[in-house]
Amino acid sequence: MLTPQPASAATTATITITASGYICEAPGGFTVTYISDWEIGLSWTMGIGANNTMVRAAIGRVPADREDGYLVYYGDGIYATDWSQNLDTLDAKVYYRAWSENAGGIWTSEYGEGFIEGIGMKLIAFIVLALGLMIAAFVFKKQALMMAAGLGFVGLGVYMRLQSVAVGWTGWDIYMLFFWLGIALAFVCFFETFLVARKSQEIELAKEEGEQYAESYGDMLEQVAKLRKFKIRR
């Protein structure tokens, strides 16, 4: 009589099954807001399924990963402030990226991002442009260039005054220094414009008087020549 026997294998194989699936969503609606030269506001919506958000920043380039750049925020909130930069002197963009972390400590590969631009380069460009116009006006004696330079320095002064008010100006600071510098140089440009215009009028007047004198002198010489001919004939 035959009885059933369990089957057996000569070797036993170990099978490992790895499952990868949904982690959580990246932060959404990432927004970078200028508050002041020293205060940059960051906001976002928490990714679905996320427990924490990490925000990192880098100057002049985007943070490559969660180890790159400098840490701005890590936690379960939806707002952060970056106090580490001075946009007034910074001549590059500050780039931000935000990643989500789930309850198991797994991070998303996707991210939210944004950037803000420092005004240092704009300020330098503004000054260089105005100075360039003023120098060109002095060299070429062009009234239009001098007027443009004056308007440029007025704009510089007003811009720096607004910056001073934005940071709560209470006395003399770099903003007010640029403000009065801009106003002073604008006055120089406008005054020079007035002088150039006046000199141009004087030159034109002298030219007209010279032409009239030359014409009168020519007429006089012609009359003298006629008198000489008349005397010779007599």
Side-chain angles (χ1 to χ4, degrees):
M1 183 176 179
L2 297 175
T3 59
Q5 298 291 328
S8 61
T11 59
T12 302
T14 302
I15 300 175
T16 302
I17 300 176
T18 303
S20 61
Y22 176 78
I23 299 173
C24 60
E25 290 188 359
F30 193 85
T31 304
V32 182
T33 304
Y34 172 87
I35 300 175
S36 73
D37 290 339
W38 295 276
E39 185 177 1
I40 304 169
L42 308 171
S43 62
W44 60 90
T45 57
M46 183 74 74
I48 299 175
N51 278 47
N52 294 299
T53 301
M54 175 186 287
V55 180
R56 299 190 71 88
I59 300 174
R61 58 184 177 81
V62 294
D65 51 41
R66 290 180 289 105
E67 303 295 328
D68 191 24
Y70 62 91
L71 179 65
V72 178
Y73 176 82
Y74 173 70
D76 59 359
I78 56 173
Y79 301 101
T81 302
D82 186 2
W83 301 88
S84 61
Q85 302 300 328
N86 182 358
L87 295 178
D88 181 45
T89 58
L90 188 65
D91 60 354
K93 294 179 180 179
V94 183
Y95 292 88
Y96 297 90
R97 277 187 175 177
W99 293 266
S100 293
E101 180 188 31
N102 67 8
I106 307 299
W107 292 90
T108 57
S109 58
E110 294 80 16
Y111 45 79
E113 63 181 354
F115 70 89
I116 192 168
E117 188 172 3
I119 65 173
M121 186 60 71
K122 294 180 180 178
L123 179 61
I124 293 172
F126 209 161
I127 295 174
V128 169
L129 176 62
L131 284 175
L133 288 172
M134 186 174 70
I135 293 172
F138 275 111
V139 172
F140 298 106
K141 301 298 182 183
K142 295 294 184 179
Q143 186 176 357
L145 289 175
M146 192 64 70
M147 184 66 71
L151 291 175
F153 281 116
V154 167
L156 172 63
V158 172
Y159 171 75
M160 296 309 296
R161 183 68 180 96
L162 293 176
Q163 288 294 310
S164 182
V165 172
V167 299
W169 171 75
T170 57
W172 285 96
D173 58 9
I174 187 65
Y175 299 102
M176 290 303 296
L177 176 62
F178 274 107
F179 171 73
W180 288 113
L181 177 62
I183 296 300
L185 290 176
F187 177 79
V188 170
C189 289
F190 288 131
F191 183 71
E192 184 65 20
T193 299
F194 171 76
L195 290 180
V196 169
R198 186 172 180 178
K199 288 178 180 178
S200 298
Q201 292 176 353
E202 292 176 351
I203 291 172
E204 289 296 327
L205 182 60
K207 184 178 179 180
E208 292 177 1
E209 291 177 350
E211 291 175 351
Q212 292 176 358
Y213 176 78
E215 185 177 352
S216 300
Y217 184 72
D219 293 341
M220 184 181 68
L221 290 177
E222 184 178 352
Q223 292 297 326
V224 170
K226 288 180 179 181
L227 287 173
R228 286 179 177 177
K229 289 181 180 179
F230 179 75
K231 288 181 179 181
I232 292 173
R233 288 176 183 177
R234 293 184 61 184

